[in-house]
Amino acid sequence: MAKKRLIQAINDALTEEMERDERVILFGEDVEISMFGDTVGLLDRFGPDRVRNTPICEATLSGMAVGAAAAGYRVILHMMFSNFIYTGFDAIANQMAKIRLMTGGQIMLPVTVIAGYGGGRSTAAQHSDTPYPALMNLGGINVAVPSTPADAAGLLKTAIRGNNPTFYLEAGGRGGQRGEVPDGDHLMPLGQAAIRRSGGDVTLVSVGAMMRPTLRAARALAADGIEAEVIDCRTLVPLDTETIKASVARTGRLVVVDEARDRCSAASHIAAVIAEESFHDLRAPVRRVTVPNIAMPYAPNVEKPLLPNPERIAEAAATLVQA
Amino acid sequence: MAKKRLIQAINDALTEEMERDERVILFGEDVEISMFGDTVGLLDRFGPDRVRNTPICEATLSGMAVGAAAAGYRVILHMMFSNFIYTGFDAIANQMAKIRLMTGGQIMLPVTVIAGYGGGRSTAAQHSDTPYPALMNLGGINVAVPSTPADAAGLLKTAIRGNNPTFYLEAGGRGGQRGEVPDGDHLMPLGQAAIRRSGGDVTLVSVGAMMRPTLRAARALAADGIEAEVIDCRTLVPLDTETIKASVARTGRLVVVDEARDRCSAASHIAAVIAEESFHDLRAPVRRVTVPNIAMPYAPNVEKPLLPNPERIAEAAATLVQA
Amino acid sequence: MTPTSAPSTEEFLDLLRTMLLIRRVEERLRDDFHAGKLPGGVHLYIGQEAVAAGVCAHLNDDDWIASTHRGHGHFLAKGGDPKAMIAEIHGKETGICRGMGGSMHVADFSRGIIGANGIVGGGVGITVGAALAAQLENKGQVAVCFFGDGAANQGVFMEAMNVGALWKLPLVLICEHNGFSEFSPSDTVTAGDIADRPEAFDIPSTSVDGNDAIAVWEAASAAVDHARRGNGPSFVLATTYRTHGHNEGEVYWLSGTYRDNSEIEDWNRRDPIERLTRTLVERDICTLDEVGAMDREILDTVEDACAFAEASAVPSPDAVQDLMFFNQAP
Amino acid sequence: MTPTSAPSTEEFLDLLRTMLLIRRVEERLRDDFHAGKLPGGVHLYIGQEAVAAGVCAHLNDDDWIASTHRGHGHFLAKGGDPKAMIAEIHGKETGICRGMGGSMHVADFSRGIIGANGIVGGGVGITVGAALAAQLENKGQVAVCFFGDGAANQGVFMEAMNVGALWKLPLVLICEHNGFSEFSPSDTVTAGDIADRPEAFDIPSTSVDGNDAIAVWEAASAAVDHARRGNGPSFVLATTYRTHGHNEGEVYWLSGTYRDNSEIEDWNRRDPIERLTRTLVERDICTLDEVGAMDREILDTVEDACAFAEASAVPSPDAVQDLMFFNQAP
Ligand SMILES: Cc1ncc(C[n+]2csc(CCOP(=O)(O)OP(=O)(O)O)c2C)c(N)n1
Ligand SMILES: Cc1ncc(C[n+]2csc(CCOP(=O)(O)OP(=O)(O)O)c2C)c(N)n1
Ligand SMILES: [Mg+2]
Ligand SMILES: [Mg+2]
């Protein structure tokens, strides 16, 4: 085990996978100098054939990812900020998510798309979207939202070695968070949620970086005598509904914490699944702690309260238990 | 009242609104000859200044809609098939949905985007998406999904006269459905669901053109002694949760019928809202009848069963009532 | 760029055979469509056959092509199996895409056919990616993108030229200028000459008569060779005409017309197949009788393919479960 | 296209004043950023002032401009209020966007400033729409799009040229070639000369020294005039240099460097403000003392604006409720 910053865990995982398989290639805007630090050093190490700085042309980049993967490479496409996914959304939604089905399963599509997501740092509306709801609805796209350095490494390696398109979303500005990463070739399968804390009174499901505020809320709740179970989704597609359902079977109460806008959020979807499949276990309403249906404002005092925080999460959970 | 085909109701509403306000302009690919028939005759009537066939360049078209509206026009942008929304998604997600907030509310953005959606006609994966989940999650976009000629007219007029961006989605291939349209200047406010049938045993909420199969399911259920209430959303943003909640308060059971793919669908969101806000009224799980997380296949025998149909809807409702 | 050589006798006959095959297949698709035998619509390539045939004549199985909604011709010219294509368009399990794609998505990766595409311009970025892969393989493969004059107005066209020129990708851009961007006459939606657009990227650009199979063959020969030698992208504008509708179903649902019949008749007189036949006969490469025999053979192939398609089973509705993801439930 | 005339004395002084204002505002933003006074990052325009000033000199309040992430200069040159801009960047209620947009989104529709834009190329389509509106108004308004050399690789650039040329829109495209596309030297991501791209659309293209305010002024004069007369789009490539980082915060988080200091020093010697000052003094349009006085006045304005910004209240967190939609809950 080694303690690493999350962004370092990503960088190490990229290095190891590119070392391991020479058909892994990576491209994106300024991946050489690396805006977030996740791709630092790769160009020097693997050379300009396998690591390419691209022009700014997201529409073509997402198409290229499809084409290069269809032609036999394992592609890593770095899209920088999540909002730029929209700029390249055509080939994501119309090609990447559909081409395997449309062609009768002729090909696998080993594509990993990396992008930073989320607000909280006054980057304003065009640099702070949380785009997984749209991706989840496409059907043909896996979505990974690691919250710890270990998962960051393990999920990224799985995504790169996998044979389906996977969006690997890094929580913006949270790359500095530190944690243990297992030594050796650490892989984390897609579709396995983590129980970060056990408790019998209420289940708190967190998406991505919401894990930390959720854990903090759980600690605050414990001080009030409420024991919360915290489940970190790790991946949204595939979604580990079994772990969530098993927890709800014990607690009878669910709060989903998601930094996406509320309408059609991951939280909505998880709530809907539980309201159907675990209805008889539920003893209280299913609560969502999300971002209101608002684009991120710049002023920090306006932006901050829009994001889920330990207080909102704890309050939601407490209401359920006390009801 | 006059009986009209749905597409005719749209064409009439467009004509009337362009007649009424000369600052209404319309553009899109082949709006002159009109793929779906909805914009037929407008170029002849209003001339090439106000009605323009454009080149194929969706990324620019959606940006143009924002720019022309910001500069004082009421814009109608026709995007033809919903999948092409993705091609122009950048300016939709990054500009249209955000520019009012980002600029501190300096402007209104009177934009109506028209597109046909949905499968069922062997147009395959790239011509049959149901894109409202992604639009709903953006926050700054209204979404109208009319299911009758009267609503088609009334909602379109409201959208055009409104001052916020509205996606007005026509159910593909279902423009031939006929119905009464009130005479005169018929407007239908956004955010008012319609109760298409009353019943006390179960609430069936339908999105857009799912109204007809849902009504059919209700009739089949009635034959088995189950009285279903059918609520047609009419608009997804704003969503008339009050009407749905009031119905669930009476019936205690909810099935949501949506032709979007399931994950993060409108159905998910409605289910989530009810699982929170009407939890204590619920007597049974909330069911979703949606399209599985699959891109539309071409072969009719494979495509058809993916879509919600009266049998699946009735079966879902019956399970709830019999449970 | 100059062509590497003129077509050999064998190549001439192959050209003609390919064009005739495309024509006969599509005439049959036309009939089957109007007879209500096809589940979806078809966008016919009739009149443009010289382009697909003239370009693909230079390609190997491991070269890549990306195509459009009007993609039957490219599929067949690149060596795709007519049976598998026709079965696909009938929505059958034996279709090249197991009935999941239909007319707009015929693909055969084993022959380098990345697929037809229902998104105008959708093939462009994909071809750039395939060209990147080809460059990395370093075996002289090329990637060819077929796209229409309408698609040339999509921004990805410029983006692809920039990336392609910058990285010297083995990318060949073939723009088929068939007079229409859907229902809009090309000049009502296109400014300037599309063939001028590559110049700013120092990409060689050639304009040819797209109904002259030999001219296309020669221009494509030079372009493909340029790419194979590692000299980067090139561009060919082939002027041609689609003598059928944008979509074969349009006659049933369009409220008006958008061209004169005389225009169609004009272009029918410039039919690329008749033209090539005439040249071949004039040059003593074959006789009209031989062409007739070739045609009959092709008609038999088409007949067999259609019989095969009709006799094939529809796909299992469960098939989709395995197709969204590889080895993963959807 | 030739400029309509040379700048008058008044116009010369206005040019200099605008450039100085931009410079002094940004120097202060730089200091405030590093002092931790600003909630978000800033992309400084220092070194490029001649472009915004030279272009906007020809625009009226009812002409439109769209700008970029590097948009302070365009905002100020188009007549935006420095107080309202600085307050915006401080995230205050008195900001031009009520603190909702910050540095990357400064907009003032009442002055025709459609907004800075955090999406590279995001302003292009918007400007085409504004140009369409201007054409329909038929009052001689124009719409100007500022964008970078990096943005010129986004497909919307080509799309806009096609639409603009086709419809003869009053569209002026100003590409500021400042040497970098984010951290990539321009020539590592751009094929050919961007100024050649408009040619295929018959759009007049002019390349100027973007650090020479008078050259920019003249080229913009011709381009704006061309648009006002209904002759359609034109394009100006202004070569300049950003002497500051891509983002002022980069020194704190970039793991490496991407240019030599000597390059920066070289360009500092070509500073557009010093250069214009020298010319004005040489031409006896003003004295160095007068420039000094102008500068002091500007520094006072900046000081006042910053004091205003700092003293202003933060927005109410509830404000967002009214801002997503007009007259509708979010
Ligand atoms: C992104 C997108 N926009 C619009 C369409 C609708 N559409 C289908 S084909 C077509 C015209 C294409 O013209 P061109 O590229 O010249 O090809 P052609 O049909 O002439 O072969 C259009 C607009 C589409 N399929 N995809
Ligand atoms: C669509 C999109 N892609 C990428 C980025 C990240 N980014 C911000 S500025 C920039 C470089 C822009 O270069 P240029 O257009 O030359 O403008 P400059 O910064 O030089 O003024 C990039 C890549 C973005 N903001 N938007
Ligand atoms: Mg065409
Ligand atoms: Mg630049």
Side-chain angles (χ1 to χ4, degrees):
Chain A
M1 289 279 216
K3 213 166 180 119
K4 284 182 193 175
R5 288 184 309 123
L6 196 142
I7 210 75
Q8 187 59 48
I10 296 175
N11 186 255
D12 290 349
L14 288 170
T15 309
E16 287 166 32
E17 291 306 302
M18 294 196 73
E19 200 72 73
R20 183 175 174 276
D21 180 352
E22 62 175 24
R23 293 187 79 80
V24 176
I25 61 174
L26 181 148
F27 54 81
E29 294 156 22
D30 283 317
V31 291
E32 176 175 7
I33 199 161
S34 186
M35 175 72 84
F36 305 141
D38 45 5
T39 57
V40 160
L42 298 174
L43 182 82
D44 278 352
R45 183 147 180 172
F46 299 105
D49 265 0
R50 293 180 61 201
V51 180
R52 296 197 187 202
N53 274 351
T54 67
I56 310 173
C57 53
E58 287 82 5
T60 292
L61 299 184
S62 52
M64 273 171 64
V66 173
Y73 282 79
R74 292 197 169 271
V75 176
I76 306 170
L77 165 60
H78 201 303
M79 292 284 261
M80 209 181 311
F81 286 93
S82 274
N83 288 65
F84 314 156
I85 289 175
Y86 304 142
T87 319
F89 205 62
D90 178 53
I92 294 166
N94 279 321
Q95 315 293 345
M96 203 183 284
K98 297 181 168 62
I99 195 167
R100 190 177 139 80
L101 177 116
M102 282 189 311
T103 62
Q106 289 181 47
I107 48 160
M108 306 180 305
L109 214 61
V111 173
T112 304
V113 184
I114 302 181
Y117 74 94
R121 293 161 299 137
S122 279
T123 52
Q126 289 176 340
H127 284 71
S128 53
D129 259 16
T130 294
Y132 40 72
L135 297 167
M136 290 167 72
N137 184 255
L138 292 175
I141 302 279
N142 284 322
V143 180
V145 280
S147 74
T148 67
D151 287 353
L155 291 172
L156 182 51
K157 284 172 163 254
T158 302
I160 295 170
R161 288 188 213 175
N163 292 312
N164 295 303
T166 301
F167 272 69
Y168 176 89
L169 301 171
E170 308 171 359
R174 285 157 282 188
Q177 298 180 351
R178 293 166 63 86
E180 300 287 349
V181 180
D183 298 327
D185 198 22
H186 170 62
L187 286 143
M188 172 64 59
L190 307 185
Q192 280 187 13
I195 301 181
R196 299 292 181 195
R197 184 187 197 282
S198 298
D201 296 327
V202 57
T203 301
L204 310 180
V205 169
S206 72
V207 178
M210 290 297 99
M211 191 269 278
R212 289 197 172 206
T214 304
L215 265 185
R216 232 169 280 140
R219 273 183 239 119
L221 286 163
D224 291 344
I226 298 173
E227 289 304 328
E229 183 139 297
V230 175
I231 297 178
D232 174 352
C233 288
R234 279 185 176 138
T235 62
L236 290 165
V237 181
L239 180 66
D240 182 357
T241 49
E242 294 314 313
T243 296
I244 301 173
K245 279 155 59 176
S247 177
V248 171
R250 290 190 293 273
T251 64
R253 299 181 185 89
L254 175 63
V255 177
V256 193
V257 187
D258 178 0
E259 70 189 294
R261 271 183 290 274
D262 186 61
R263 223 180 269 119
C264 296
S265 55
S268 290
H269 188 66
I270 294 168
V273 169
I274 295 305
E276 173 158 7
E277 301 181 21
S278 300
F279 179 77
H280 297 291
D281 291 324
L282 284 173
R283 289 191 275 156
V286 180
R287 292 283 303 265
R288 305 181 306 284
V289 180
T290 52
V291 167
N293 298 306
I294 283 174
M296 280 295 156
Y298 171 75
N301 72 305
V302 186
E303 183 185 26
K304 287 275 157 58
L306 296 176
L307 293 164
N309 56 37
E311 296 69 43
R312 279 175 61 201
I313 300 165
E315 188 270 329
T319 336
L320 296 190
V321 177
Q322 284 144 12
Chain B
M1 290 279 215
K3 213 164 179 122
K4 286 182 191 175
R5 288 185 309 122
L6 196 140
I7 211 76
Q8 188 58 47
I10 296 175
N11 187 255
D12 290 349
L14 288 170
T15 309
E16 286 167 33
E17 291 306 302
M18 294 197 72
E19 201 72 72
R20 184 176 174 276
D21 180 352
E22 61 174 26
R23 294 187 78 81
V24 175
I25 61 174
L26 181 147
F27 54 81
E29 293 155 22
D30 283 317
V31 291
E32 177 174 5
I33 200 160
S34 186
M35 176 71 84
F36 305 141
D38 46 5
T39 57
V40 159
L42 297 174
L43 183 82
D44 278 351
R45 182 146 182 172
F46 300 105
D49 265 0
R50 293 180 61 201
V51 180
R52 295 195 188 205
N53 274 352
T54 67
I56 309 173
C57 53
E58 287 82 5
T60 292
L61 298 184
S62 53
M64 274 172 62
V66 173
Y73 281 80
R74 293 198 167 271
V75 176
I76 305 170
L77 165 61
H78 201 304
M79 292 284 261
M80 211 183 308
F81 286 94
S82 273
N83 288 65
F84 315 157
I85 289 175
Y86 305 142
T87 320
F89 205 61
D90 178 53
I92 293 166
N94 279 321
Q95 316 293 345
M96 204 182 284
K98 297 181 169 60
I99 194 167
R100 190 177 139 80
L101 177 116
M102 282 190 309
T103 62
Q106 288 181 50
I107 49 160
M108 305 179 307
L109 214 60
V111 174
T112 303
V113 183
I114 301 182
Y117 74 94
R121 292 162 299 135
S122 279
T123 52
Q126 289 176 339
H127 284 72
S128 53
D129 259 17
T130 294
Y132 39 72
L135 297 167
M136 291 168 72
N137 184 254
L138 292 176
I141 302 278
N142 283 323
V143 179
V145 279
S147 73
T148 67
D151 287 353
L155 291 172
L156 182 52
K157 285 171 163 255
T158 302
I160 296 170
R161 288 188 214 175
N163 292 311
N164 295 303
T166 300
F167 272 68
Y168 176 90
L169 300 171
E170 308 171 0
R174 285 156 281 188
Q177 299 181 349
R178 293 166 62 86
E180 301 287 347
V181 180
D183 298 326
D185 197 23
H186 170 63
L187 286 143
M188 173 62 60
L190 307 184
Q192 279 187 13
I195 302 181
R196 299 290 181 197
R197 183 185 198 283
S198 297
D201 296 327
V202 57
T203 301
L204 309 180
V205 169
S206 71
V207 178
M210 290 298 99
M211 192 269 280
R212 289 198 172 205
T214 304
L215 265 185
R216 233 169 280 143
R219 271 183 241 121
L221 287 163
D224 291 343
I226 298 173
E227 289 303 327
E229 182 139 299
V230 175
I231 297 178
D232 173 353
C233 288
R234 278 186 178 139
T235 62
L236 290 165
V237 181
L239 180 67
D240 182 358
T241 49
E242 293 315 313
T243 296
I244 302 172
K245 279 154 59 175
S247 177
V248 171
R250 291 190 293 272
T251 65
R253 299 181 185 89
L254 175 63
V255 177
V256 193
V257 186
D258 178 359
E259 70 188 292
R261 270 184 291 274
D262 185 62
R263 223 180 269 120
C264 298
S265 57
S268 289
H269 189 66
I270 294 168
V273 168
I274 295 305
E276 172 158 8
E277 300 180 21
S278 301
F279 179 76
H280 297 293
D281 292 325
L282 284 173
R283 289 191 275 157
V286 180
R287 292 284 301 267
R288 304 181 307 284
V289 180
T290 52
V291 167
N293 298 306
I294 283 173
M296 280 297 154
Y298 172 75
N301 73 306
V302 187
E303 183 184 28
K304 285 276 158 54
L306 296 176
L307 294 164
N309 56 36
E311 296 68 44
R312 279 174 62 202
I313 301 166
E315 188 272 328
T319 335
L320 296 190
V321 177
Q322 284 144 11
Chain C
M1 294 194 310
T2 43
T4 47
S5 63
S8 66
T9 295
E10 197 49 53
E11 286 167 334
F12 268 129
L13 292 171
D14 281 347
L15 253 183
L16 184 63
R17 193 176 295 112
T18 301
M19 289 166 67
L20 262 175
L21 174 65
I22 299 172
R23 175 70 55 91
R24 296 305 181 215
V25 165
E26 288 217 318
E27 285 171 343
R28 178 62 185 261
L29 288 172
R30 173 200 62 197
D31 294 345
D32 285 353
F33 174 81
H34 291 290
K37 288 190 185 175
L38 306 181
V42 286
H43 300 83
L44 298 183
Y45 193 64
I46 292 178
Q48 305 185 207
E49 296 89 346
V51 186
V55 172
C56 293
H58 303 285
L59 303 180
N60 307 319
D61 271 1
D62 69 350
D63 291 321
W64 301 105
I65 67 162
S67 159
T68 70
H69 54 287
R70 203 175 301 289
H72 310 150
H74 311 124
F75 181 94
L76 294 171
K78 186 67 168 55
D81 176 6
K83 271 162 75 171
M85 186 181 90
I86 293 173
E88 181 61 31
I89 298 169
H90 279 260
K92 296 301 177 70
E93 174 184 57
T94 53
I96 187 67
C97 303
R98 299 171 63 180
M100 299 298 142
S103 164
M104 273 193 289
H105 306 294
V106 290
D108 182 350
F109 289 86
S110 72
R111 308 251 169 192
I113 307 166
I114 300 191
N117 210 307
I119 297 299
V120 171
V124 178
I126 294 178
T127 321
V128 177
L132 172 61
Q135 183 180 64
L136 294 173
E137 295 288 4
N138 198 19
K139 294 181 198 147
Q141 290 158 281
V142 305
V144 178
C145 186
F146 290 97
F147 61 105
D149 52 289
N153 293 328
Q154 290 280 33
V156 283
F157 173 41
M158 186 199 78
E159 295 181 1
M161 289 193 287
N162 185 52
V163 175
L166 193 69
W167 294 347
K168 280 204 163 194
L169 295 179
L171 174 69
V172 179
L173 298 161
I174 307 285
C175 181
E176 300 188 59
H177 198 303
N178 65 358
F180 297 94
S181 175
E182 204 175 68
F183 307 110
S184 298
S186 304
D187 61 358
T188 65
V189 289
T190 303
D193 183 346
I194 295 168
D196 290 342
R197 298 186 188 176
E199 281 172 20
F201 304 89
D202 287 325
I203 294 178
S205 171
T206 312
S207 295
V208 291
D209 178 344
N211 282 26
D212 178 348
I214 302 173
V216 174
W217 191 98
E218 287 175 350
S221 164
V224 170
D225 188 61
H226 187 78
R228 282 208 206 290
R229 290 173 189 272
N231 294 327
S234 47
F235 175 87
V236 176
L237 184 81
T239 302
T240 176
Y241 191 78
R242 64 161 167 75
T243 53
H244 275 246
H246 165 65
N247 180 304
E248 198 55 20
E250 70 189 45
V251 287
Y252 303 116
W253 39 260
L254 271 195
S255 65
T257 55
Y258 55 93
R259 57 177 172 182
D260 287 339
N261 277 333
S262 64
E263 188 179 288
I264 304 176
E265 283 156 25
D266 255 21
W267 279 93
N268 275 334
R269 276 190 289 275
R270 292 183 246 173
D271 185 276
I273 297 183
E274 284 173 23
R275 184 154 161 191
L276 183 63
T277 306
R278 249 190 336 266
T279 306
L280 264 54
V281 171
E282 272 162 27
R283 298 199 193 170
D284 279 338
I285 290 170
C286 60
T287 65
L288 268 184
D289 278 355
E290 283 161 354
V291 174
M294 184 190 276
D295 196 13
R296 279 189 298 281
E297 207 178 292
I298 286 170
L299 282 166
D300 285 347
T301 307
V302 174
E303 191 54 47
D304 287 352
C306 290
F308 169 80
E310 292 190 23
S312 293
V314 295
S316 152
D318 296 337
V320 289
Q321 299 300 327
D322 296 331
L323 296 178
M324 280 302 279
F325 288 117
F326 176 81
N327 244 344
Q328 181 187 326
Chain D
M1 294 195 310
T2 43
T4 47
S5 63
S8 67
T9 296
E10 197 48 54
E11 286 168 333
F12 267 131
L13 292 172
D14 281 348
L15 252 184
L16 184 62
R17 194 176 294 112
T18 301
M19 290 166 67
L20 261 175
L21 174 67
I22 299 172
R23 175 69 56 91
R24 296 307 180 212
V25 165
E26 288 216 318
E27 285 172 342
R28 178 61 185 262
L29 288 172
R30 172 199 64 198
D31 294 344
D32 284 354
F33 174 81
H34 290 290
K37 288 190 184 176
L38 306 182
V42 286
H43 301 83
L44 298 183
Y45 193 64
I46 292 179
Q48 305 184 207
E49 296 89 346
V51 185
V55 171
C56 292
H58 303 285
L59 303 180
N60 307 318
D61 271 1
D62 68 350
D63 291 321
W64 302 104
I65 66 163
S67 159
T68 69
H69 55 287
R70 203 175 300 290
H72 309 149
H74 310 125
F75 181 94
L76 294 171
K78 185 66 168 55
D81 176 7
K83 270 161 77 173
M85 185 181 90
I86 293 173
E88 181 61 31
I89 298 170
H90 279 259
K92 296 302 178 69
E93 173 184 57
T94 53
I96 187 67
C97 303
R98 299 172 65 180
M100 299 299 140
S103 164
M104 271 192 290
H105 305 295
V106 290
D108 183 349
F109 290 86
S110 71
R111 308 249 168 194
I113 307 165
I114 299 191
N117 210 306
I119 298 300
V120 170
V124 177
I126 294 178
T127 320
V128 178
L132 172 61
Q135 182 179 65
L136 294 173
E137 295 287 4
N138 198 19
K139 292 182 199 147
Q141 291 158 279
V142 305
V144 178
C145 186
F146 290 98
F147 60 106
D149 52 288
N153 292 329
Q154 290 279 34
V156 283
F157 173 41
M158 187 200 79
E159 295 181 0
M161 289 193 288
N162 185 52
V163 176
L166 192 69
W167 293 348
K168 278 205 163 195
L169 295 179
L171 174 68
V172 179
L173 297 161
I174 307 284
C175 181
E176 300 188 59
H177 197 302
N178 65 358
F180 296 95
S181 175
E182 203 175 70
F183 307 111
S184 297
S186 305
D187 60 358
T188 65
V189 289
T190 304
D193 183 346
I194 295 168
D196 290 342
R197 299 186 188 174
E199 281 170 20
F201 304 89
D202 287 325
I203 294 178
S205 170
T206 312
S207 295
V208 291
D209 178 344
N211 282 27
D212 177 347
I214 301 174
V216 174
W217 191 98
E218 288 174 350
S221 165
V224 170
D225 188 61
H226 187 77
R228 281 210 206 291
R229 289 174 190 272
N231 294 327
S234 47
F235 175 87
V236 176
L237 184 81
T239 302
T240 175
Y241 191 78
R242 65 161 166 75
T243 53
H244 275 246
H246 165 66
N247 179 304
E248 199 53 22
E250 71 188 45
V251 287
Y252 303 117
W253 39 260
L254 271 195
S255 65
T257 55
Y258 54 94
R259 57 178 171 181
D260 288 339
N261 277 333
S262 63
E263 188 179 287
I264 304 175
E265 281 155 25
D266 255 20
W267 280 92
N268 274 334
R269 276 189 288 278
R270 294 183 242 172
D271 186 275
I273 297 183
E274 284 174 23
R275 183 154 160 193
L276 182 63
T277 306
R278 250 191 334 269
T279 306
L280 264 54
V281 172
E282 272 164 26
R283 297 201 193 169
D284 278 339
I285 290 170
C286 61
T287 64
L288 268 184
D289 279 356
E290 283 162 356
V291 175
M294 184 190 276
D295 196 12
R296 279 189 299 279
E297 208 177 290
I298 286 170
L299 283 166
D300 285 349
T301 307
V302 174
E303 190 56 46
D304 287 354
C306 290
F308 168 82
E310 292 190 22
S312 292
V314 294
S316 152
D318 295 337
V320 288
Q321 299 299 326
D322 296 331
L323 295 178
M324 280 303 279
F325 286 117
F326 177 81
N327 246 343
Q328 182 187 324

